[in-house]
Amino acid sequence: MTTHRRNLTPESVRRLTLAAEPWLSCNDCFDAVDTYVETLLSGSPDSMPALRAHLSGCSACFEEARSLLLLTAADDGVNPGPALRRLGRG
Ligand SMILES: [Zn+2]
């Protein structure tokens, strides 16, 4: 009987699952995209790899994110350039 795998906590299992399946539905993406845009605009580290993966494969959500980024940047009076580059394809 081995016991060395007891270090596999629910949290580490969740991370493994995320890494193996970095795909969200469009609904999940829609719910999270405003937070993601804020993250990009604030210059914070990209903490949402699953969302990034979705945007790179879904042009509808990518356009949504890009529009939202431009609107939010205009509202906040900030230059959207760096955030657009982080979004990709910008
Ligand atoms: Zn999508």
Side-chain angles (χ1 to χ4, degrees), residues 27-63:
N27 275 338
D28 291 338
C29 184
F30 188 79
D31 286 344
V33 74
D34 52 346
T35 304
Y36 187 62
V37 163
E38 292 287 347
T39 300
L40 293 178
L41 283 170
S42 70
S44 303
D46 180 356
S47 59
M48 303 170 82
L51 189 55
R52 172 183 279 288
H54 183 90
L55 292 177
S56 72
C58 179
S59 56
C61 288
F62 178 82
E63 284 304 321

